Amino acid sequence: MPEPVQISNGLDDVYVDRSAISLVDGERGGLAYRGYDIFELVPGVPYESVVRLLLQGAPPDRDPAPEIVEALRSRRDLSPGVARLVDTVDPKLPPLQAMLVILAGLADAPYPYPPTAEQGLTIMARLPVALARYMRRAHGLPMVEPRPEFSQAANYLYLLTGTAPTPTQVKALESYFVLLADHGMNASTFALTVVISTQSDLVSAETAALAALKGPVHGGAPSKVTDMLDAIGSADRAASWVHDALARRERLMGFGHRVYKVEDPRAILLHRIAQAMGAPRLALAEAVEREALAALRAQRPGQRLYTNVEFYSAVVLEAIGLPRELFTPTFAIARTAGWAAHAIERTADNRLIRPEVEYTGAPPGLKWPRPVDRAIPRAG
Ligand code: ACO
């Protein structure tokens, strides 16, 4: 008898590589980028400086990192080919679906392997511009040009709305971008890593990452949190709503995490940001969180399910004024920093990722059930 094969469905506790980029401490609820705890970075440290930290390994000499500010500013123009592609994407597609097409289409010039920080910054600079172009066209609005004096967060809001964002909106989105910039070997980063391990290019790898991020048990959850708040409607209905949802064996969006077995530290900071900015649906969200945690404790005892990043992401992004269909695209824009950093790190010691699967099908040697013509005609 052969040895039974050990299978880790979901790859829990499987180490696929080493990384010096971010430390996720699931037991204590910690997240640090290259040694800098997120509570040290948020609020206050500009996204551009965190991009520098993730890509280069050390903070800049000044904030916001001048070379990243300049690199993003000088790369925001879309080539005529990319602009044409964006303008041909069906305006009725959900923005996240459109974003997959648009991201793949950014490779209008070669992005040769191995990936570089310059390539990563080019994607980072252009993706929000291209997405905003798509959104404005889909809503019949005229295009606006990026404003060179605006940060990545401010420009994103400006390009979408056509008006200069308020300091509250910019600060909240900046903090959100920093908190979502990287998160260890999560599903989308793993998808990216698999693609880069084949020596494919960075645009293709980030497109694969976005495809993975899209799923509701990964980055697709925050709009569903907003749907849940809509369905609950008022704080007095929260207890019965979550009780009934759990009784139907549904998952409560914005709760539970593969790694965090305590509250997600990003949720703590996003909750504080929602409080500081006076988010309109904060009181409802807090009531839902309270009831959800109590019901999860009672109805899923022993499973250690707590609030995850997506719950207060939804509250903050809604308070900034973003529509729910842009929540996951906005997450992706923040994460382009971490994706680039991981792709570059991987190539220092790359080996094709090619795992095994235990075959459980029919034993080989079956005969096709009908006669087969096996002759190959001669060419010409
Ligand atoms: N609500 C109710 N029950 C839950 C929830 C939840 N949010 N999360 C997990 N559970 C239960 C499952 O039903 C399962 O119970 P069972 O064994 O009785 O069937 C048990 O907990 C374990 O679930 P798994 O799916 O094995 O746990 P996993 O580690 O894969 O869960 C996940 C992580 C996928 C995020 C899960 O908690 C979930 O689906 N949450 C809701 C969606 C969500 O918020 N996604 C965003 C995640 S954060 C991010 O990726 C950026």
Side-chain angles (χ1 to χ4, degrees), residues 19-24 31-41 53-54 57-59 182:
S19 175
I21 301 171
S22 58
L23 177 67
V24 183
L31 172 60
Y33 300 152
R34 300 205 184 263
Y36 292 86
D37 200 288
I38 53 167
F39 285 85
E40 175 69 20
L41 303 175
L53 177 68
L54 291 170
D182 194 46

Side-chain angles (χ1 to χ4, degrees), residues 58-114:
D61 296 333
R62 274 182 294 138
D63 293 315
E67 78 274 28
I68 303 293
V69 170
E70 186 46 37
L72 292 174
R73 179 184 301 165
S74 62
R75 287 171 160 81
R76 286 195 175 115
D77 286 343
L78 302 181
S79 69
V82 170
R84 246 191 332 273
L85 174 111
V86 172
D87 293 347
T88 57
V89 179
D90 182 352
K92 288 197 245 2
L93 281 183
L96 185 52
Q97 199 62 41
M99 195 183 192
L100 270 171
V101 179
I102 291 168
L103 176 52
L106 289 185
D108 63 328
Y111 279 75
Y113 179 91

Side-chain angles (χ1 to χ4, degrees), residues 12 180 183 186 213 215-222 225 246 249-259 261 264 266 296 300 303 305-306 308-311 331 335:
D12 303 47
L180 276 292
H183 203 242
N186 58 84
L213 188 75
V217 296
H218 187 15
V225 171
L246 289 179
R249 304 297 305 172
E250 287 174 13
R251 287 178 181 223
L252 300 179
M253 290 294 144
F255 297 90
H257 197 274
R258 175 62 63 80
V259 181
K261 297 306 164 199
D264 184 329
R266 300 167 296 177
L296 286 167
R300 302 276 191 279
Q303 281 176 348
L305 300 169
Y306 296 91
N308 68 42
V309 63
E310 303 289 33
F311 188 77
F331 180 170
R335 187 54 62 85

Side-chain angles (χ1 to χ4, degrees), residues 159-172:
L159 291 172
L160 286 168
T161 63
T163 51
T166 65
T168 305
Q169 289 174 306
V170 175
K171 192 83 178 198

